[in-house]
Coordinates of all heavy atoms in Angstrom, one line a residue:
M1 N 42.6 74.7 34.3 CA 41.2 75.1 34.4 C 40.4 74.1 33.5 O 40.9 73.8 32.3 CB 41.1 76.4 33.9 CG 39.5 77.0 33.8 SD 39.6 78.8 33.5 CE 37.9 79.0 34.2
P2 N 39.4 73.4 33.9 CA 38.7 72.4 33.2 C 38.1 73.1 31.9 O 37.5 74.3 32.0 CB 37.6 71.9 34.1 CG 37.8 72.5 35.3 CD 38.9 73.6 35.3
N3 N 37.9 72.3 30.9 CA 37.2 72.7 29.7 C 35.8 72.4 29.9 O 35.5 71.1 29.8 CB 37.9 72.1 28.5 CG 37.2 72.7 27.2 OD1 36.2 73.3 27.2 ND2 37.9 72.4 26.0
N4 N 34.9 73.4 29.9 CA 33.4 73.2 30.1 C 32.7 73.1 28.8 O 31.5 73.1 28.8 CB 32.9 74.1 31.1 CG 33.4 73.9 32.5 OD1 33.5 72.8 32.9 ND2 33.5 75.0 33.2
N5 N 33.4 73.1 27.6 CA 32.8 73.1 26.4 C 32.2 71.7 26.1 O 33.0 70.9 25.9 CB 33.8 73.6 25.3 CG 33.2 73.7 24.0 OD1 32.1 73.3 23.7 ND2 33.9 74.2 22.9
P6 N 30.8 71.6 25.9 CA 30.2 70.3 25.7 C 30.6 69.8 24.2 O 30.5 68.7 24.0 CB 28.8 70.6 25.8 CG 28.5 72.1 25.6 CD 29.8 72.6 26.1
N7 N 31.0 70.7 23.4 CA 31.3 70.3 22.0 C 32.7 69.8 21.9 O 33.2 69.2 20.8 CB 31.1 71.5 21.0 CG 29.7 71.7 20.9 OD1 28.8 70.9 21.0 ND2 29.4 73.1 20.9
H8 N 33.5 69.8 22.9 CA 35.0 69.4 23.0 C 34.9 67.9 23.2 O 34.4 67.4 24.1 CB 35.8 70.1 24.0 CG 37.2 69.7 24.1 ND1 38.0 70.2 23.2 CD2 37.9 68.9 24.9 CE1 39.3 69.7 23.5 NE2 39.0 68.9 24.5
D9 N 35.6 67.2 22.2 CA 35.7 65.7 22.3 C 36.6 65.3 23.5 O 37.6 65.9 23.5 CB 36.2 65.1 21.1 CG 35.1 65.2 20.0 OD1 34.0 65.4 20.2 OD2 35.6 65.2 18.8
I10 N 36.2 64.3 24.3 CA 37.1 63.8 25.2 C 38.2 63.0 24.4 O 37.9 62.3 23.4 CB 36.3 62.9 26.2 CG1 35.3 63.7 27.0 CG2 37.3 62.0 27.1 CD1 34.4 62.8 27.8
H11 N 39.4 63.0 24.8 CA 40.4 62.4 24.1 C 40.1 60.9 23.8 O 39.8 60.1 24.7 CB 41.7 62.4 24.9 CG 43.0 61.8 24.2 ND1 43.5 62.3 23.1 CD2 43.6 60.6 24.4 CE1 44.5 61.7 22.7 NE2 44.5 60.6 23.4
G12 N 40.2 60.5 22.4 CA 39.9 59.2 22.0 C 38.4 59.0 21.7 O 38.2 57.9 21.0
Q13 N 37.6 59.8 22.1 CA 36.2 59.6 21.7 C 36.0 60.1 20.2 O 36.6 61.0 19.9 CB 35.2 60.2 22.6 CG 35.0 59.5 23.8 CD 34.0 60.1 24.7 OE1 33.5 61.2 24.5 NE2 33.4 59.2 25.7
N14 N 35.0 59.6 19.5 CA 34.7 60.0 18.2 C 35.8 60.0 17.2 O 35.8 60.7 16.3 CB 34.2 61.6 18.2 CG 32.9 61.7 19.1 OD1 32.1 60.7 19.1 ND2 32.8 62.7 19.8
K15 N 36.7 59.1 17.4 CA 37.9 58.8 16.5 C 37.4 58.0 15.4 O 36.5 57.1 15.5 CB 38.9 58.1 17.4 CG 40.2 58.0 16.4 CD 41.5 57.4 17.2 CE 42.5 57.3 16.3 NZ 43.8 57.0 16.9
E16 N 37.8 58.3 14.2 CA 37.4 57.6 13.0 C 38.6 56.7 12.6 O 39.6 57.1 12.7 CB 37.1 58.5 11.9 CG 35.8 59.3 12.2 CD 35.4 60.2 10.9 OE1 36.1 60.5 10.1 OE2 34.2 60.5 11.0
F17 N 38.3 55.4 12.2 CA 39.2 54.6 11.7 C 38.8 54.2 10.2 O 37.6 54.0 9.9 CB 39.2 53.3 12.4 CG 39.5 53.5 13.9 CD1 38.4 53.5 14.8 CD2 40.7 53.5 14.4 CE1 38.5 53.6 16.1 CE2 41.0 53.7 15.8 CZ 39.8 53.8 16.7
V18 N 39.8 54.1 9.3 CA 39.7 53.7 7.9 C 40.0 52.3 7.8 O 41.2 52.1 8.1 CB 40.2 54.7 6.9 CG1 40.1 54.1 5.5 CG2 39.7 56.1 7.1
V19 N 39.1 51.4 7.6 CA 39.4 49.9 7.3 C 39.1 49.6 5.9 O 38.3 50.4 5.2 CB 38.6 49.1 8.3 CG1 39.0 49.3 9.7 CG2 37.2 49.2 8.1
I20 N 39.8 48.7 5.4 CA 39.6 48.2 4.0 C 38.7 46.8 4.1 O 39.2 45.9 4.7 CB 40.9 47.9 3.2 CG1 41.8 49.1 3.4 CG2 40.7 47.6 1.8 CD1 41.4 50.4 2.9
V21 N 37.6 46.9 3.4 CA 36.7 45.8 3.3 C 36.5 45.4 1.8 O 36.0 46.2 1.1 CB 35.3 46.0 4.0 CG1 34.4 44.8 3.9 CG2 35.4 46.5 5.4
N22 N 37.0 44.3 1.5 CA 36.9 43.7 0.1 C 37.4 44.8 -1.0 O 36.9 45.2 -1.9 CB 35.4 43.4 -0.3 CG 35.0 42.1 0.4 OD1 35.8 41.4 1.0 ND2 33.7 41.9 0.4
G23 N 38.5 45.3 -0.5 CA 39.3 46.4 -1.4 C 38.7 47.7 -1.3 O 39.3 48.6 -2.1
R24 N 37.7 48.0 -0.5 CA 37.2 49.4 -0.5 C 37.3 50.0 0.9 O 37.1 49.3 1.9 CB 35.7 49.4 -0.8 CG 35.4 48.9 -2.2 CD 34.0 49.0 -2.6 NE 33.8 48.9 -4.0 CZ 32.9 48.2 -4.6 NH1 31.9 47.7 -3.8 NH2 32.8 48.0 -5.8
P25 N 37.7 51.3 0.9 CA 37.9 51.9 2.3 C 36.5 52.1 2.9 O 35.6 52.6 2.2 CB 38.5 53.2 1.9 CG 38.3 53.5 0.4 CD 38.1 52.1 -0.1
K26 N 36.4 51.8 4.3 CA 35.2 52.1 5.0 C 35.6 52.9 6.2 O 36.6 52.5 6.9 CB 34.4 50.8 5.4 CG 34.1 49.8 4.3 CD 32.9 50.4 3.4 CE 32.6 49.6 2.3 NZ 31.2 49.9 1.7
T27 N 34.8 53.9 6.6 CA 35.2 54.6 7.9 C 34.2 54.1 9.0 O 32.9 54.2 8.8 CB 34.9 56.1 7.6 OG1 35.8 56.5 6.5 CG2 35.3 56.9 8.8
V28 N 34.9 53.8 10.1 CA 34.1 53.4 11.3 C 34.5 54.2 12.5 O 35.7 54.6 12.4 CB 34.2 51.8 11.5 CG1 33.7 51.0 10.3 CG2 35.7 51.5 11.8
T29 N 33.7 54.3 13.5 CA 34.1 54.9 14.7 C 34.2 53.9 15.9 O 34.6 54.3 17.0 CB 33.1 56.0 15.1 OG1 31.7 55.4 15.1 CG2 33.1 57.1 14.1
E30 N 33.7 52.7 15.7 CA 33.8 51.6 16.8 C 35.2 51.2 17.0 O 35.9 51.0 16.1 CB 33.0 50.4 16.4 CG 31.6 50.8 16.4 CD 31.0 51.3 15.0 OE1 31.9 51.4 14.1 OE2 29.9 51.8 14.8
K31 N 35.6 50.9 18.2 CA 36.8 50.4 18.5 C 37.0 48.9 18.3 O 38.1 48.3 18.2 CB 37.2 50.7 19.9 CG 37.5 52.1 20.2 CD 37.9 52.5 21.7 CE 38.0 54.0 21.8 NZ 38.5 54.3 23.2
F32 N 35.8 48.2 18.4 CA 35.8 46.8 18.0 C 34.7 46.6 17.0 O 33.6 47.2 17.1 CB 35.5 45.9 19.3 CG 36.6 45.9 20.3 CD1 36.7 46.9 21.2 CD2 37.4 44.9 20.2 CE1 37.8 46.9 22.2 CE2 38.4 44.7 21.2 CZ 38.6 45.6 22.1
L33 N 34.9 45.6 16.0 CA 33.8 45.3 15.0 C 33.6 43.8 15.1 O 34.6 42.9 15.3 CB 34.4 45.7 13.6 CG 34.4 47.1 13.2 CD1 35.0 47.1 11.7 CD2 33.2 47.8 13.3
S34 N 32.4 43.4 15.2 CA 32.1 42.0 15.3 C 32.1 41.4 13.8 O 32.0 42.1 12.8 CB 30.7 41.9 15.8 OG 29.6 42.3 14.9
F35 N 32.0 40.1 13.8 CA 31.9 39.4 12.5 C 30.6 39.9 11.6 O 30.8 40.3 10.5 CB 31.7 37.9 12.9 CG 31.5 37.0 11.7 CD1 32.6 36.5 11.0 CD2 30.1 36.7 11.1 CE1 32.4 35.7 9.9 CE2 30.1 35.9 10.1 CZ 31.1 35.3 9.4
V36 N 29.4 40.1 12.3 CA 28.3 40.6 11.7 C 28.4 42.1 11.2 O 28.0 42.5 10.1 CB 27.0 40.5 12.6 CG1 25.8 41.3 12.0 CG2 26.7 39.0 12.9
D37 N 29.1 42.9 12.0 CA 29.5 44.2 11.6 C 30.2 44.2 10.4 O 29.9 45.1 9.4 CB 30.3 45.0 12.6 CG 29.6 45.3 13.9 OD1 28.2 45.4 13.9 OD2 30.2 45.4 15.1
V38 N 31.2 43.5 10.2 CA 32.2 43.4 9.0 C 31.3 42.9 7.8 O 31.4 43.5 6.7 CB 33.4 42.7 9.3 CG1 34.3 42.7 8.0 CG2 34.2 43.2 10.4
V39 N 30.5 41.9 7.9 CA 29.7 41.4 6.8 C 28.7 42.5 6.4 O 28.6 42.8 5.1 CB 28.7 40.2 7.3 CG1 27.7 39.9 6.3 CG2 29.8 39.0 7.6
K40 N 28.2 43.4 7.3 CA 27.2 44.4 6.8 C 28.1 45.5 6.2 O 27.6 46.1 5.2 CB 26.6 45.0 8.1 CG 25.5 44.1 8.7 CD 25.0 44.8 9.9 CE 23.8 43.9 10.5 NZ 23.2 44.5 11.6
L41 N 29.4 45.8 6.5 CA 30.1 46.7 5.7 C 30.5 46.2 4.3 O 30.5 47.0 3.4 CB 31.5 46.9 6.5 CG 31.5 47.8 7.8 CD1 32.8 47.7 8.5 CD2 31.0 49.2 7.4
A42 N 30.5 44.9 4.3 CA 30.9 44.3 3.0 C 29.7 44.3 2.0 O 29.9 44.5 0.8 CB 31.5 42.9 3.1
F43 N 28.6 43.9 2.6 CA 27.5 43.5 1.7 C 26.2 44.4 1.9 O 25.1 44.2 1.2 CB 27.1 42.0 1.8 CG 28.2 41.1 1.4 CD1 28.8 40.2 2.4 CD2 28.7 41.0 0.2 CE1 29.8 39.5 2.1 CE2 29.7 40.2 -0.1 CZ 30.3 39.4 0.8
G44 N 26.3 45.3 2.9 CA 25.1 46.1 3.3 C 24.1 45.5 4.2 O 23.4 46.2 4.9
D45 N 24.1 44.1 4.3 CA 23.2 43.5 5.3 C 23.8 42.2 5.7 O 24.9 41.7 5.1 CB 21.9 43.3 4.7 CG 21.6 42.4 3.5 OD1 22.7 42.1 3.0 OD2 20.5 42.1 3.2
F46 N 23.2 41.6 6.6 CA 23.7 40.2 7.1 C 22.5 39.3 7.0 O 21.4 39.5 7.6 CB 24.2 40.3 8.6 CG 24.6 38.9 9.1 CD1 25.7 38.3 8.8 CD2 23.6 38.3 10.0 CE1 25.9 37.1 9.4 CE2 23.9 37.0 10.5 CZ 25.2 36.5 10.2
V47 N 22.5 38.3 6.2 CA 21.5 37.2 6.1 C 21.8 36.0 7.0 O 22.7 35.3 6.6 CB 21.4 36.9 4.6 CG1 20.3 35.7 4.4 CG2 21.1 38.0 3.7
D48 N 21.0 35.9 7.9 CA 21.2 34.8 8.9 C 20.3 33.6 8.6 O 19.2 33.5 9.1 CB 20.9 35.3 10.3 CG 21.2 34.3 11.4 OD1 22.0 33.4 11.1 OD2 20.9 34.6 12.6
N49 N 20.7 32.8 7.8 CA 20.0 31.4 7.4 C 21.0 30.5 7.1 O 22.1 30.7 6.8 CB 18.9 31.8 6.4 CG 19.5 32.2 4.9 OD1 20.4 31.6 4.6 ND2 18.8 33.0 4.3
S50 N 20.4 29.3 6.9 CA 21.4 28.1 6.8 C 21.8 28.1 5.3 O 22.7 27.1 5.1 CB 20.6 26.9 7.3 OG 19.4 26.6 6.4
S51 N 21.3 28.7 4.4 CA 21.7 28.6 3.0 C 22.8 29.5 2.7 O 23.2 29.5 1.5 CB 20.4 28.8 2.0 OG 20.0 30.1 2.1
R52 N 23.1 30.5 3.5 CA 24.2 31.5 3.1 C 25.4 31.3 4.1 O 25.0 31.3 5.4 CB 23.7 32.9 3.2 CG 24.9 33.8 2.9 CD 24.7 35.1 2.3 NE 23.8 35.1 1.3 CZ 23.4 36.1 0.5 NH1 23.4 37.3 1.2 NH2 22.7 36.1 -0.5
I53 N 26.7 31.2 3.8 CA 27.8 31.0 4.5 C 28.8 32.1 4.3 O 28.9 32.5 3.2 CB 28.4 29.7 4.3 CG1 27.5 28.6 4.7 CG2 29.8 29.6 5.2 CD1 28.0 27.2 4.4
Y54 N 29.2 32.8 5.3 CA 30.1 33.9 5.2 C 31.5 33.4 5.7 O 31.6 32.6 6.6 CB 29.8 35.1 5.9 CG 28.5 35.7 5.6 CD1 27.3 35.4 6.3 CD2 28.4 36.6 4.5 CE1 26.1 36.1 6.0 CE2 27.2 37.1 4.2 CZ 26.1 36.9 4.9 OH 24.9 37.4 4.5
T55 N 32.6 33.7 4.9 CA 33.9 33.4 5.4 C 34.7 34.8 5.4 O 34.5 35.7 4.6 CB 34.7 32.6 4.4 OG1 34.6 32.9 3.1 CG2 34.0 31.0 4.5
M56 N 35.6 34.9 6.4 CA 36.2 36.3 6.6 C 37.7 36.0 7.0 O 37.9 35.2 7.9 CB 35.4 37.0 7.6 CG 36.0 38.4 7.9 SD 35.0 39.3 9.0 CE 33.2 39.0 8.7
T57 N 38.5 36.8 6.5 CA 39.9 36.7 6.9 C 40.2 38.3 7.1 O 39.7 39.2 6.5 CB 40.9 36.1 6.0 OG1 40.8 36.9 4.7 CG2 40.6 34.7 5.8
F58 N 41.3 38.6 8.0 CA 41.7 40.0 8.1 C 43.2 39.9 8.4 O 43.8 38.9 8.6 CB 41.1 40.6 9.4 CG 41.4 40.0 10.7 CD1 42.4 40.7 11.4 CD2 40.9 39.0 11.2 CE1 42.8 40.1 12.5 CE2 41.2 38.5 12.4 CZ 42.2 39.1 13.1
K59 N 43.9 41.1 8.2 CA 45.3 41.2 8.3 C 45.5 42.7 8.7 O 44.6 43.5 8.6 CB 46.2 40.7 7.1 CG 45.9 41.5 5.9 CD 46.7 40.8 4.7 CE 46.4 41.4 3.4 NZ 47.1 40.8 2.3
K60 N 46.7 42.9 9.3 CA 47.1 44.2 9.8 C 46.2 44.7 11.0 O 46.1 45.8 11.3 CB 47.1 45.3 8.7 CG 48.1 45.0 7.7 CD 48.2 46.3 6.7 CE 49.3 45.8 5.6 NZ 49.4 47.0 4.7
G61 N 45.8 43.6 11.9 CA 45.0 43.9 12.9 C 45.9 44.2 14.2 O 47.0 44.2 14.1
V62 N 45.2 44.6 15.2 CA 45.9 45.2 16.5 C 46.4 43.9 17.3 O 47.5 43.8 17.5 CB 44.9 46.1 17.3 CG1 45.6 46.4 18.6 CG2 44.6 47.4 16.5
D63 N 45.4 43.3 17.8 CA 45.6 42.1 18.9 C 46.3 41.0 18.1 O 47.3 40.3 18.6 CB 44.4 41.8 19.6 CG 43.9 42.8 20.4 OD1 44.6 43.6 20.9 OD2 42.6 42.9 20.6
K64 N 45.7 40.6 17.0 CA 46.2 39.5 16.2 C 46.6 40.2 14.8 O 45.8 40.9 14.3 CB 45.2 38.6 15.9 CG 44.6 37.7 17.0 CD 43.3 37.1 16.6 CE 43.3 35.6 16.8 NZ 42.1 34.9 16.3
R65 N 47.7 39.9 14.4 CA 48.2 40.5 13.1 C 47.4 40.2 12.0 O 47.1 40.9 11.0 CB 49.7 40.2 13.0 CG 50.6 40.6 14.1 CD 50.7 42.1 14.2 NE 51.5 42.8 13.2 CZ 51.4 44.0 12.9 NH1 50.7 44.8 13.6 NH2 52.1 44.6 12.0
E66 N 46.9 38.8 11.9 CA 46.1 38.4 10.8 C 45.4 37.1 11.3 O 45.8 36.5 12.4 CB 47.0 38.0 9.6 CG 48.0 36.9 9.7 CD 48.8 36.8 8.6 OE1 49.3 37.8 7.9 OE2 49.0 35.7 8.1
G67 N 44.3 36.8 10.7 CA 43.5 35.6 11.0 C 42.3 35.6 10.4 O 42.0 36.3 9.4
S68 N 41.4 34.6 10.8 CA 40.1 34.5 10.3 C 39.2 34.8 11.5 O 39.4 34.7 12.7 CB 39.8 33.1 9.7 OG 40.1 32.2 10.8
M69 N 37.8 35.0 11.0 CA 36.8 35.4 12.1 C 35.6 34.5 11.6 O 35.3 34.2 10.6 CB 36.3 36.8 12.0 CG 37.4 37.9 12.3 SD 36.8 39.6 12.2 CE 35.4 39.6 13.5
V70 N 34.8 34.1 12.8 CA 33.5 33.4 12.5 C 32.6 34.0 13.4 O 32.7 35.0 14.3 CB 33.8 31.8 13.0 CG1 34.8 31.1 12.2 CG2 34.2 31.8 14.4
M71 N 31.3 33.7 13.3 CA 30.2 34.2 14.0 C 30.6 34.3 15.5 O 31.0 33.2 16.1 CB 28.9 33.3 13.8 CG 27.7 33.9 14.4 SD 27.3 35.5 13.8 CE 26.0 34.9 12.6
G72 N 30.2 35.4 16.1 CA 30.6 35.6 17.7 C 31.9 36.2 17.8 O 32.1 36.7 18.8
D73 N 32.8 36.2 16.9 CA 34.0 36.8 17.1 C 34.1 38.3 16.9 O 33.1 38.9 16.2 CB 35.1 36.3 16.0 CG 35.6 35.0 16.3 OD1 35.4 34.3 17.3 OD2 36.3 34.5 15.4
D74 N 34.9 39.2 17.5 CA 35.2 40.5 17.1 C 36.7 40.8 17.1 O 37.4 40.0 17.6 CB 34.4 41.4 18.1 CG 34.8 41.3 19.6 OD1 35.8 40.7 19.8 OD2 34.1 41.7 20.5
V75 N 36.9 41.9 16.5 CA 38.4 42.3 16.4 C 38.5 43.9 16.8 O 37.7 44.5 16.5 CB 38.9 42.0 15.0 CG1 38.3 42.8 13.9 CG2 40.4 42.1 14.9
R76 N 39.6 44.0 17.5 CA 39.9 45.4 17.7 C 40.4 46.1 16.5 O 41.1 45.6 15.8 CB 41.0 45.4 18.8 CG 41.3 46.7 19.5 CD 42.2 46.7 20.6 NE 42.9 47.9 20.8 CZ 44.0 48.0 21.5 NH1 44.5 47.0 22.1 NH2 44.5 49.2 21.6
I77 N 39.9 47.3 16.3 CA 40.2 48.2 15.1 C 41.2 49.2 15.2 O 41.3 49.8 16.2 CB 38.8 48.7 14.7 CG1 37.8 47.7 14.4 CG2 39.0 49.7 13.5 CD1 38.2 46.7 13.3
K78 N 42.0 49.4 14.2 CA 42.8 50.6 14.1 C 42.8 50.8 12.5 O 42.3 49.9 11.7 CB 44.3 50.1 14.3 CG 44.9 49.1 13.5 CD 46.4 49.0 13.9 CE 47.0 48.1 12.8 NZ 48.6 48.0 13.0
S79 N 43.2 51.9 12.1 CA 43.1 52.3 10.7 C 44.1 51.4 10.0 O 45.1 51.1 10.3 CB 43.6 53.7 10.4 OG 42.5 54.6 10.9
G80 N 43.6 50.9 8.8 CA 44.5 50.1 8.1 C 44.3 48.5 8.1 O 44.8 47.8 7.3
V81 N 43.4 48.1 9.0 CA 43.0 46.7 9.1 C 42.4 46.3 7.7 O 41.4 47.0 7.2 CB 42.0 46.5 10.2 CG1 41.7 45.0 10.2 CG2 42.8 46.7 11.5
I82 N 42.8 45.2 7.2 CA 42.1 44.8 5.9 C 41.2 43.6 6.1 O 41.7 42.5 6.7 CB 43.3 44.4 4.9 CG1 44.1 45.6 4.7 CG2 42.7 43.9 3.6 CD1 45.5 45.5 3.9
F83 N 40.0 43.5 5.6 CA 39.1 42.5 5.7 C 38.7 42.0 4.4 O 38.5 42.7 3.4 CB 37.7 42.8 6.4 CG 37.9 43.3 7.8 CD1 38.1 44.6 8.2 CD2 37.9 42.3 8.8 CE1 38.1 45.0 9.6 CE2 37.9 42.6 10.1 CZ 38.2 44.0 10.6
N84 N 38.7 40.6 4.1 CA 38.3 40.0 3.0 C 37.0 39.0 3.3 O 37.3 38.1 4.2 CB 39.4 39.1 2.4 CG 40.4 40.1 1.8 OD1 40.1 41.0 0.9 ND2 41.6 39.9 2.1
V85 N 36.0 39.4 2.8 CA 34.7 38.7 3.1 C 34.1 38.1 2.0 O 33.9 38.8 0.8 CB 33.7 39.6 3.8 CG1 32.5 38.9 4.3 CG2 34.4 40.5 4.8
T86 N 33.6 36.8 2.0 CA 33.0 36.2 0.8 C 31.6 35.6 1.4 O 31.5 35.3 2.6 CB 33.7 35.1 0.2 OG1 34.0 34.1 1.1 CG2 34.9 35.6 -0.5
A87 N 30.6 35.6 0.5 CA 29.4 35.0 0.9 C 29.1 33.9 -0.2 O 29.3 34.1 -1.4 CB 28.3 36.0 0.8
T88 N 28.7 32.7 0.3 CA 28.5 31.5 -0.6 C 27.1 31.1 -0.3 O 26.7 30.8 0.9 CB 29.5 30.4 -0.3 OG1 30.9 31.0 -0.3 CG2 29.3 29.2 -1.2
D89 N 26.3 30.8 -1.3 CA 25.0 30.2 -1.1 C 25.0 28.8 -1.4 O 25.7 28.3 -2.3 CB 23.9 30.9 -2.1 CG 23.5 32.2 -1.8 OD1 23.4 32.6 -0.6 OD2 23.4 33.1 -2.7
K90 N 24.6 28.0 -0.4 CA 24.5 26.6 -0.5 C 23.4 26.2 -1.6 O 22.4 26.7 -1.6 CB 24.0 25.8 0.8 CG 25.2 25.9 1.8 CD 24.6 24.9 2.9 CE 25.2 25.2 4.2 NZ 24.6 24.3 5.3
S91 N 23.9 25.2 -2.4 CA 22.8 24.8 -3.4 C 22.7 23.3 -3.5 O 23.5 22.5 -2.9 CB 23.1 25.4 -4.7 OG 24.4 25.1 -5.2

């Protein structure tokens, strides 16, 4: 018999993942995070100008076990993925 309860989650929806960003746990519900998403988790915002450069690496990922990300990239998420993000101002 089908479950007609609208409050019942469909299997796999609303799942939370705990990722580590710059040593701090962050809870997300997205199955994929973009480069910009991870920068926002690390610093609260994303500054898109030519004087700020972001570098990012990750490990314990799903599709790629480890690697780096650049603008335009995204990564499939699972709990335990570790991101290290730095921001550098050109001077």
Side-chain angles (χ1 to χ4, degrees):
M1 178 172 202
N3 184 348
N4 293 325
N5 181 352
N7 295 323
H8 181 73
D9 290 338
I10 297 172
H11 182 71
Q13 284 188 343
N14 300 323
K15 183 171 181 174
E16 292 185 341
F17 305 96
V18 177
V19 297
I20 307 300
V21 181
N22 291 348
R24 295 191 170 137
K26 304 285 183 172
T27 302
V28 298
T29 57
E30 295 84 2
K31 292 181 182 180
F32 289 85
L33 290 178
S34 70
F35 180 86
V36 173
D37 293 334
V38 179
V39 169
K40 288 178 179 179
L41 287 172
F43 302 114
D45 65 350
F46 175 79
V47 177
D48 186 15
N49 64 40
S50 61
S51 67
R52 177 155 304 168
I53 297 173
Y54 298 100
T55 56
M56 182 181 312
T57 59
F58 69 94
K59 57 186 173 180
K60 298 187 179 180
V62 175
D63 296 329
K64 295 166 126 182
R65 301 295 287 160
E66 60 184 48
S68 60
M69 293 178 68
V70 297
M71 181 67 88
D73 286 350
D74 61 13
V75 66
R76 191 168 155 203
I77 296 301
K78 69 173 187 172
S79 287
V81 178
I82 299 170
F83 294 96
N84 290 303
V85 187
T86 58
T88 305
D89 289 324
K90 287 190 201 176
S91 51

